[in-house]
Amino acid sequence: MRYMAYLLALLGGIALSFQGAIYGELGKTIGQLETSFYNFFVGVILLGILWLFFGKGKLSQVAEVPKWSLLGGALGVVYLTTIVISIPFLGVGITMVAVIIGQLIMSMVIEHFGWLRSRKARINKEKVLAIISMLIALILIN
């Protein structure tokens, strides 16, 4: 199952690169905020249909969850809008590498301190070296 999760994450990354390229171009025509709105509007419709037929959770309990756990939607808007704005200026590759570096840095900090109920994993020299290597790669591919 672990290898399937790796494959799924890899496919998700592939989809994000396609999405970024598509929305970077769409943003040039219809506008950047309009592109983000379009993304979430279509997403609500598609997820609503899937939810009606396959949903098994308890959406009615949303008021009972920790309030910080509701920030994901707002952060999704920040992420997508940043991508739509950045790709026309930087290109898909550089934008995605920068996004991945940002994700890795923040993920390491979150896990180091165990924030947001995540498992704790200390930052070590190998992780710092990996980030430095990625920053060097970002500079070199720029």
Side-chain angles (χ1 to χ4, degrees), residues 50-141:
L50 289 171
W51 174 57
L52 285 173
F53 290 100
F54 303 107
K56 294 184 171 62
K58 297 181 180 165
L59 190 58
S60 61
Q61 292 184 343
V62 73
E64 299 173 26
V65 300
K67 300 304 176 224
W68 59 263
S69 68
L70 300 175
L71 290 173
L75 293 172
V77 171
V78 170
Y79 166 76
L80 182 67
T81 305
T82 299
I83 295 297
V84 171
I85 293 169
S86 298
I87 284 179
F89 295 102
L90 303 176
V92 177
I94 293 171
T95 299
M96 290 302 170
V97 170
V99 165
I100 291 167
I101 292 170
Q103 288 175 326
L104 285 172
I105 291 169
M106 198 66 235
S107 297
M108 287 191 323
V109 171
I110 289 169
E111 287 185 342
H112 181 79
F113 294 107
W115 292 344
L116 308 173
R117 298 184 182 164
S118 69
R119 71 173 184 87
K120 282 193 172 189
R122 292 276 174 220
I123 295 175
N124 58 34
K125 63 182 175 189
E126 289 84 6
K127 291 179 181 180
V128 172
L129 183 59
I131 294 296
I132 291 169
S133 298
M134 291 190 74
L135 287 168
I136 292 168
L138 180 63
I139 292 166
L140 291 175
I141 65 170

